[in-house]
Amino acid sequence: MSTECSMSCRFVVGNSIVVVVHSDQNLADGREKLTSSGKPIQYVVLGSQDHIAAVQSRLYELDAILATRQGDEKDKLSLEYEKRTTELQFLQDNYQQSTEEVLDDAFESVTTLEHSETTTEEEDVIHVSAETFGHLKKLKIIHVVEKRDRLLRAPKLRQYFIDQVLHREEHEHKTTWYELFVDLIYVGCIAKAGALLAPAYDTISLYQFVLVYAFIYQHWMAFTMYNNAYYHDDMFFRVFALFSTGSLVVMGVTLIHFFDDNPATNTSNIFIGALLISRIAYLIAYGIDMYFLPKFRKSILATAVARQLITAIFMVAILAIPLTPENLDLRMRLYAPAAVLPFILPTIIVPLVRNAKYRTAVNIEHMTERYGLLMVIVLGEIVLSFLFDHSSSKVNQNIGYTIVALMIATNIFYLYFRSETSPKHQHALRRHFITGVSWSTLHFPLSSAMIIVGVCLKSIVTASLEVKQTSKLVIRAGAAGYNNNTAVMFMSSMAVLLFCLGVLQKLHLDEAPTLSKTKRKYVPQVSQNIRIYVRLVIAILILILGLVVQADPATWLFVVLGLTTGDIIFEEVGRIKVRSFELVSHLSV
């Protein structure tokens, strides 16, 4: 069954103009009955039987007309026939499933679309991905032709704004196979970065991990943003991608000795040099984009080139400092601003081009999918925590500890994806540029906390096992002994993780702010704000327990499992929707 469709808001049937509206409330007598050209207007409710009948009638007309047409006109009508057929199939499938649940929210999110009288040549459309991401102001569908018959091709934008009208592809832009392949390299690099936390689990090792992971995260962001915005699948892109992924591999093999005190074994110059090469590769790619897309030069220069160029200059400055024992402290102090700059620059640069006539745009479904895949990658660090070699012929409590660790990982998975993949009135990326930048930036502390939880969990699970660990798969972090610092870092990271999840959920607009509970047809059992506050309270409780209480490793496993399970249950029960009058009646009693 299809879950997405671009649906016409207005189309011709016979001598009438069919206009699709949100609900019965939009069929008021105040609506116009005739167009400016004198054609009668027929209003139908989205997903209703009248809507289905109107689409069917248009298909019957097109079937009869096509037999009498030739050439370009026939081709144009054939395209409309295919489109109406897709619409009809989507409406029939989802009408049988639940018109209110599947279609109601989608149209509610786009009621601000400015409809004008159009023909089949230029139609306003409802992009039903709005069911998940919410409110669209004005949208125009474009077709990006992906030609693969030339070695070199001009880059093309997948989506962009012209006079505040979003132009984008009709179909969702999904993660490519090549992006999934590169994700495997990020898996290895992130696992090695997490190993920096052991064996001390102190503030110095935490700083070293966050610093190195920030550079890896920036590399991931640059790779994701470019593939999100541009279609550039030619020989140049393959060479460019090779430089990008090659630099990532070099970063991965040199990060462990990044902070060595001995200049002879210190690999920071190689690491920073590889990252600088990737920046230069992106600068060249964006330069080519500006050459072939002259109308968007200002937007590309501000949002992409400036960010790459400023951080690249900073890295050159670091490399200019000789790698000697006397300069190690100076270089250490310069690493922090170099890592922080890419997170700050968007808040400064984006407002400069927001009102530009031509500007690039973010493909929202691809971006959210990429962040979701990043969360899956870092959750893999937690999976490593409970994969040990069981050497006994009997089932004992050691198996139980691994199941508890698995349940903690599963709870974190559900807490993130339940919130991020559920339909929203407005997603943070679509709500405002501040909420969009905040949503993107918050994924760095969130993913960092997940990695730290996984590394600490490895040590906690290992310390909880009765059998002696001899597994060849035990990595450096897992081989480290358990100490109080491990528990403090584990519980603190869980608190940060839950806090970030609560703030991420707050950045979205789950419910329309203009409607009171009594005017909404359906309302949740517990409001979004209360669910967020409960999550923040749980985060504070976990933090206090980790800082104040001393307990054995197994105790922390069950404490975190119990609190995160309670959070999930409260979230699921609170999300259950009831009719608003039932809730009001219940509250009045």
Side-chain angles (χ1 to χ4, degrees):
M1 180 183 297
S2 177
T3 58
E4 179 185 344
C5 176
S6 293
M7 197 170 296
S8 300
C9 296
R10 177 187 293 250
F11 55 92
V12 177
V13 177
N15 293 323
S16 301
I17 302 294
V18 175
V19 177
V20 184
V21 296
H22 173 216
S23 64
D24 292 334
Q25 296 176 351
N26 298 109
L27 298 178
D29 294 335
R31 282 190 172 270
E32 297 178 357
K33 303 300 183 184
L34 298 175
T35 66
S36 57
S37 59
K39 291 184 178 181
I41 300 177
Q42 175 190 356
Y43 294 99
V44 297
V45 177
L46 178 70
S48 65
Q49 290 286 14
D50 290 337
H51 188 187
I52 295 175
V55 176
Q56 287 176 328
S57 297
R58 180 57 179 167
L59 281 171
Y60 295 148
E61 283 186 1
L62 290 170
D63 194 38
I65 295 173
L66 281 170
T68 62
R69 297 293 190 271
Q70 299 292 332
D72 293 342
E73 186 179 3
K74 184 174 182 179
D75 293 339
K76 187 184 299 182
L77 291 172
S78 297
L79 289 174
E80 185 188 355
Y81 188 89
E82 293 178 4
K83 183 175 183 179
R84 298 285 172 256
T85 303
T86 302
E87 287 181 5
L88 180 62
Q89 185 63 50
F90 179 85
L91 286 168
Q92 290 175 334
D93 289 345
N94 290 287
Y95 184 87
Q96 296 297 326
Q97 181 184 352
S98 173
T99 303
E100 282 187 343
E101 292 182 2
V102 176
L103 296 174
D104 188 66
D105 289 339
F107 196 86
E108 181 180 358
S109 301
V110 294
T111 51
T112 57
L113 276 168
E114 296 181 61
H115 302 299
S116 58
E117 183 178 344
T118 57
T119 65
T120 57
E121 296 181 7
E122 182 182 358
E123 297 175 339
D124 294 318
V125 298
I126 305 171
H127 201 276
V128 187
S129 63
E131 176 191 351
T132 299
F133 303 111
H135 180 67
L136 284 167
K137 289 186 177 179
K138 296 188 71 176
L139 171 69
K140 185 173 182 179
I141 298 299
I142 61 173
H143 299 282
V144 178
V145 180
E146 299 186 355
K147 296 181 179 179
R148 304 176 186 274
D149 56 350
R150 297 179 183 175
L151 288 177
L152 297 174
R153 288 182 293 275
K156 296 181 180 180
L157 282 169
R158 294 185 180 276
Q159 61 281 320
Y160 49 85
F161 283 100
I162 299 180
D163 289 329
Q164 307 305 314
V165 178
L166 176 62
H167 294 62
R168 61 152 292 158
E169 298 172 290
E170 178 177 359
H171 302 291
E172 286 191 353
H173 171 35
K174 293 292 188 179
T175 297
T176 64
W177 293 113
Y178 184 73
E179 287 176 287
L180 292 174
F181 166 72
V182 177
D183 283 347
L184 296 176
I185 306 176
Y186 288 112
V187 170
C189 291
I190 291 172
K192 294 191 71 174
L196 291 171
L197 291 164
Y201 297 102
D202 56 8
T203 54
I204 295 177
S205 61
L206 177 63
Y207 172 78
Q208 292 176 351
F209 159 73
V210 171
L211 188 65
V212 169
Y213 178 59
F215 290 132
I216 296 173
Y217 186 91
Q218 291 169 24
H219 191 286
W220 177 88
M221 272 295 301
F223 180 75
T224 296
M225 290 296 294
Y226 190 86
N227 285 282
N228 180 274
Y230 301 95
Y231 172 72
H232 198 177
D233 188 13
D234 63 355
M235 185 59 67
F236 168 79
F237 176 79
R238 289 175 175 81
V239 175
F240 154 74
L242 181 60
F243 272 93
S244 177
T245 54
S247 66
L248 177 61
V249 170
V250 174
M251 290 165 62
V253 299
T254 58
L255 65 86
I256 290 295
H257 298 284
F258 187 97
F259 301 99
D260 282 7
D261 295 331
N262 184 359
T265 59
N266 187 294
T267 58
S268 58
N269 273 351
I270 303 176
F271 184 97
I272 296 296
L275 186 57
L276 178 60
I277 289 174
S278 72
R279 299 289 188 192
I280 295 173
Y282 282 105
L283 285 172
I284 295 173
Y286 283 123
I288 293 174
D289 297 334
M290 287 192 293
Y291 176 80
F292 285 102
L293 303 166
K295 293 182 179 179
F296 295 90
R297 284 174 183 169
K298 180 180 177 181
S299 175
I300 297 172
L301 182 65
T303 58
V305 175
R307 181 164 30 181
Q308 301 289 337
L309 185 60
I310 292 173
T311 53
I313 292 173
F314 215 95
M315 292 171 191
V316 170
I318 293 175
L319 292 175
I321 301 173
L323 185 60
T324 62
E326 296 79 16
N327 292 329
L328 288 179
D329 289 339
L330 175 59
R331 290 168 64 99
M332 182 69 74
R333 287 194 292 269
L334 291 176
Y335 291 145
V340 171
L341 266 177
F343 298 108
I344 299 177
L345 288 175
T347 60
I348 302 172
I349 295 174
V350 172
L352 300 178
V353 295
R354 286 190 67 224
N355 296 321
K357 180 177 181 179
Y358 298 94
R359 59 188 175 95
T360 58
V362 172
N363 187 292
I364 189 170
E365 66 270 10
H366 176 262
M367 186 60 68
T368 54
E369 183 182 40
R370 291 299 296 153
Y371 274 105
L373 288 171
L374 177 64
M375 294 302 104
V376 172
I377 290 173
V378 297
L379 279 169
E381 192 67 42
I382 301 179
V383 173
L384 289 175
S385 68
F386 52 79
L387 292 179
F388 72 100
D389 287 345
H390 185 69
S391 58
S392 174
S393 61
K394 299 180 180 179
V395 175
N396 53 33
Q397 64 183 13
N398 300 330
I399 299 295
Y401 290 139
T402 63
I403 299 300
V404 171
L406 170 63
M407 293 174 69
I408 291 174
T410 304
N411 284 355
I412 295 173
F413 173 87
Y414 278 120
L415 285 171
Y416 177 82
F417 285 98
R418 183 67 175 94
S419 171
E420 291 302 311
T421 60
S422 60
K424 298 169 181 62
H425 181 74
Q426 275 189 319
H427 191 280
L429 287 173
R430 187 164 283 170
R431 185 178 180 183
H432 193 270
F433 93 91
I434 293 178
T435 58
V437 170
S438 300
W439 182 86
S440 176
T441 304
L442 267 173
H443 277 78
F444 174 70
L446 173 62
S447 57
S448 300
M450 285 187 183
I451 297 170
I452 297 171
V453 166
V455 175
C456 294
L457 198 59
K458 181 75 176 181
S459 180
I460 291 173
V461 171
T462 302
S464 301
L465 300 179
E466 291 183 347
V467 297
K468 182 179 180 180
Q469 289 294 310
T470 58
S471 172
K472 295 181 180 180
L473 294 176
V474 174
I475 60 174
R476 176 182 169 186
Y482 172 83
N483 56 55
N484 189 57
N485 287 346
T486 312
V488 172
M489 189 174 288
F490 174 65
M491 298 296 280
S492 300
S493 299
M494 278 300 309
V496 171
L497 190 154
L498 291 175
F499 177 82
C500 291
L501 289 175
V503 176
L504 282 177
Q505 193 169 354
K506 182 63 177 176
L507 291 175
H508 303 303
L509 191 61
D510 275 7
E511 302 165 353
T514 56
L515 296 177
S516 65
K517 284 186 177 180
T518 56
K519 292 183 179 180
R520 296 179 199 154
K521 194 167 186 179
Y522 292 96
V523 294
Q525 293 268 21
V526 181
S527 70
Q528 171 186 318
N529 285 337
I530 294 178
R531 300 198 305 270
I532 292 173
Y533 296 149
V534 169
R535 181 163 298 167
L536 297 181
V537 168
I538 294 175
I540 294 172
L541 178 59
I542 289 177
L543 179 62
I544 293 174
L545 289 174
L547 295 176
V548 176
V549 179
Q550 292 189 357
D552 61 90
T555 300
W556 294 126
L557 292 178
F558 288 102
V559 167
V560 170
L561 175 61
L563 290 174
T564 54
T565 302
D567 189 7
I568 288 178
I569 293 173
F570 185 80
E571 177 76 18
E572 291 300 317
V573 173
R575 281 177 175 269
I576 297 175
K577 290 187 176 182
V578 297
R579 290 187 179 273
S580 58
F581 68 85
E582 293 177 355
L583 183 61
V584 172
S585 175
H586 173 71
L587 293 175
S588 63
V589 174

